Amino acid sequence: MSLRVFVPRDAGALAVGADEVAAALQRAAAGRHVGLEVVRTGSRGLYWLEPLIEVATPAGRVGYGPMTAADAAGVLDAALGRSGAHPLGRGVVDEIPWLQRQTRLTFARCGVTDPASLDDYRAHGGTRGLARALSLGPDGVVEEVVGSGLRGRGGAGFPTGIKWRTVAQAAAPQKYIVCNADEGDSGTFADRMIMEGDPFLLIEGMTIAAIAVGATRGYVYIRSEYPHAIAAMEAAIATARRARLLGARLGDSPYGFDIEVRAGAGAYVCGEETSLLESLEGKRGIVRAKPPLPAHKGLFGRPTVINNVLSLASVPIVLAEGAARYRDLGIGRSRGTMPIQLAGNVRRGGLFETAFGISLGELVDDVGLGTASGRPVRAVQVGGPLGAYFPRALFDTPFDYEAFAARDGLIGHGGIVVFDDTVDMARQARFAMEFCALESCGKCTPCRIGSTRGIETLDRIIRDDERERNLAVLEDLCHTMKFGSLCALGGFTPYPVMSALTHFPEDFGARPPRLEAAE
Ligand SMILES: Cc1cc2nc3c(=O)[nH]c(=O)nc-3n(C[C@H](O)[C@H](O)[C@H](O)COP(=O)(O)O)c2cc1C
Ligand code: SF4
C-alpha cells in the first residue's frame, strides 16, 4: 500500500509547522510499513487551514487541516481507510466552496504543482504562453497584452501593454526587464506565494516581456525578508537555464534572455520603481524625479520594463488563452482577475483570486466571514499602508480601480486588512504618519518634514490640545503632502489619515468640522 501526499512548503505554511507535519507523516508511514511519497507544493491560499495537506485519491485530492505533527498518524489511518472520517478532513480540496467561488487564472497552479518541477509546470499548462509569444513575435505580443486590458498589479494600475510598447519602441543597445518583488504593502503576500508556489510562471512572464520589448537581461528584486522566495526563484532560474528556457537562443528561438535575483535590504520606498532601480544599481534607495520614465531611461540609464510580480505572472495566461478571455472578465477599465489578499483580523484570511467587480462587503463578510475575534467589523484598510480606511457604509464599493479612486481610496496591490470595533482610528491615523516618517527616503520636504509635523499635530488632536485649530492644520498639511510630494509615499499618506478622520470622527474626540478629503 502506498500514498501520495502533498504538503505545502510555502512560508505561511512553514510558519505554522508544515515541515514538522511532513516529517511526522513520514514517521507514521514507516511505522505502518506504508510507502509514502511526499510532494512539497506552494499554498492554495486557504491560510486558516494551513498546514493543509492533501492526499491523492481516485476522487481527487482530499484535504486535512489545519494539521499538527500529532495529527499525522490519525490522518494517515483515515486516509488509508483504517479508521473512520478524521475531524480535520475537508473533503476534495477542489470542491471547497472558498476555492470554487474563485476564478483562478494567475494562481491556477499555486498549491497544486511541485514548484521545483519544470515537468509538473509543463504538465499543468506551463510554457503555453511562451510558445504562443514565440509564434506571435514582439509586436504581436505587445498588442495581445494591450488588448487584454491588463493593468499593473503593483499599485498604480498603469496599462502593462502600453508600458511594454513604449520600451519596445525605444531604440537602445541594451534593455532590461525588472520584476518588482519588494511586496511592501501591509497584508499582502500574493507575490511571495507565486514565487514560492509557481516560480516558472514568473520566469515565463518575464521572458515573454523580454521578447516583446527586445530585452536580454532581467532582474527579480525580492525583499530580503522573503528567503524562501529567493531560494525558490534561484532554483527555478537554474532549472530553466538547464532546460534552455533561459539563456542564448532560448528554446531554439532567435531570442536570448537571462534572469538574476537581487535581494533588497528592506525599505518600503525601495518598492517605488525608481528607488528600486537606484537600489539595483547598488546605490541608496532614493526616489528619482520623473521624467525620464524608466521606460525611456531606467536601469543603468537604459529602457526598462518594471512590473510587479502579479502583472508579469498574469501575462502567460493572457498569451495562452488569448487577450479576449482575459478582457471579458472584470468591470469598467479593470479587466481580468485580481488576486485579493484578505488579512488582519479576519476569520478566513488568504488568497482569493476573482474577476474585478466583487464588492468590498462580499469580500469581507461572505469570503472573509468577518473578524477572527468574532467582534463586529469596524474598518478595513484596502491597498496597503497608503490606502484609505473604509467603514461599513462604503462596503458596496466594487473592487475596481476607478470605483475606489472615486471614494478617495485605492486598491493598490489588492491587500485588505480587517479591523474589529476595538480599533482606535486616531491611533491608526497617527500610525500612517509615523510609517511615512520612518520610511521616507528624505528627498522631498512635504514627505520628509510633513510626516513628522503630522505626528505632532495628531498627538495634539488626540490629547485635545486646540483640537479645531489642529484639525485645520492637519487638513492643510495633508493637502500639501498630497500635491507637493515627489512620490506616492508622501503623496498618498493623506488617504489613511483623512479617511480615518472623515469616516470615524468620533475617535478624534469631538466631531470635527466636515473636512474635505484632501483632493
Ligand atoms: C512607496 C511606494 C512603494 C511601492 N512598493 C511597491 C512594491 O512593493 N511592489 C510593487 O510592485 N510596486 C510597488 N510600488 C509601485 C511601483 O512604483 C510601480 O508602480 C510598479 O512596480 C510598476 O509595476 P506594475 O505596473 O506592474 O504595477 C510602490 C510605489 C510607491 C510609491
Ligand atoms: S514623497 Fe517621501 S519617499 Fe517619496 S520622494 Fe518624497 S521624501 Fe522620498
Side-chain angles (χ1 to χ4, degrees), residues 171-446:
Q174 175 75 59
K175 298 179 190 178
Y176 296 103
I177 306 297
V178 173
C179 172
N180 188 341
D182 200 50
E183 195 160 59
D185 280 2
S186 38
T188 65
F189 42 84
D191 294 352
R192 179 186 59 68
M193 281 182 70
I194 285 292
M195 291 187 287
E196 292 176 0
D198 200 7
F200 293 114
L201 177 66
L202 180 55
I203 293 171
E204 185 177 349
M206 290 179 73
T207 307
I208 294 171
I211 293 167
V213 306
T216 52
R217 293 206 69 79
Y219 294 93
V220 190
Y221 185 92
I222 310 178
R223 54 174 35 236
S224 57
E225 294 92 331
Y226 280 180
H228 302 92
I230 292 172
M233 283 309 302
E234 280 180 337
I237 289 167
T239 303
R241 268 192 209 122
R242 279 196 299 276
R244 299 199 46 244
L245 280 177
L246 289 174
R249 295 184 53 78
L250 54 96
D252 289 327
S253 74
Y255 306 101
F257 181 61
D258 211 338
I259 302 176
E260 285 177 55
V261 171
R262 290 284 183 274
Y268 182 70
V269 78
C270 282
E272 193 282 332
E273 57 186 10
T274 62
S275 185
L276 186 154
L277 294 175
E278 288 286 295
S279 174
L280 257 186
E281 290 180 11
K283 301 174 196 152
R284 206 176 129 192
I286 295 184
V287 174
R288 295 178 185 169
K290 287 190 273 194
L293 295 171
H296 293 126
K297 219 165 170 263
L299 187 63
F300 302 113
R302 302 298 191 188
T304 302
V305 165
I306 175 160
N307 272 136
N308 174 252
V309 172
L310 299 181
S311 318
L312 291 160
S314 301
V315 166
I317 194 82
V318 166
L319 269 293
E321 306 267 320
R325 157 95 170 104
Y326 201 78
R327 191 184 52 229
D328 286 351
L329 297 164
I331 54 164
R333 289 176 48 223
S334 305
R335 311 310 314 175
T337 59
M338 183 73 193
I340 295 164
Q341 299 127 87
L342 283 163
N345 187 350
V346 64
R347 217 168 122 202
R348 297 218 161 154
L351 190 288
F352 193 86
E353 181 176 354
T354 188
F356 284 98
I358 187 171
S359 75
L360 184 55
E362 270 178 278
L363 285 164
V364 174
D365 295 329
D366 302 346
V367 177
L369 290 187
T371 63
S373 62
R375 300 184 67 91
V377 174
R378 179 147 187 251
V380 292
Q381 188 177 28
V382 186
L386 310 175
Y389 287 99
F390 276 57
R392 190 164 271 287
L394 297 183
F395 275 16
D396 61 341
T397 313
F399 218 77
D400 159 52
Y401 292 100
E402 280 65 43
F404 266 74
R407 291 183 160 177
D408 285 319
L410 47 122
I411 65 171
H413 187 46
I416 298 181
V417 179
V418 181
F419 296 83
D420 72 12
D421 61 350
T422 60
V423 66
D424 177 342
M425 295 306 293
R427 291 273 147 206
Q428 294 303 120
R430 187 192 191 277
F431 172 71
M433 284 291 186
E434 202 183 348
F435 181 82
C436 182
L438 280 170
E439 299 292 340
S440 170
C441 84
K443 183 149 176 167
C444 69
T445 314

Side-chain angles (χ1 to χ4, degrees), residues 495-515:
Y495 280 114
V497 175
M498 295 307 288
S499 58
L501 198 48
T502 305
H503 303 307
F504 307 92
E506 61 278 17
D507 284 15
F508 293 78
R511 191 166 183 85
R514 212 189 100 62
L515 289 161

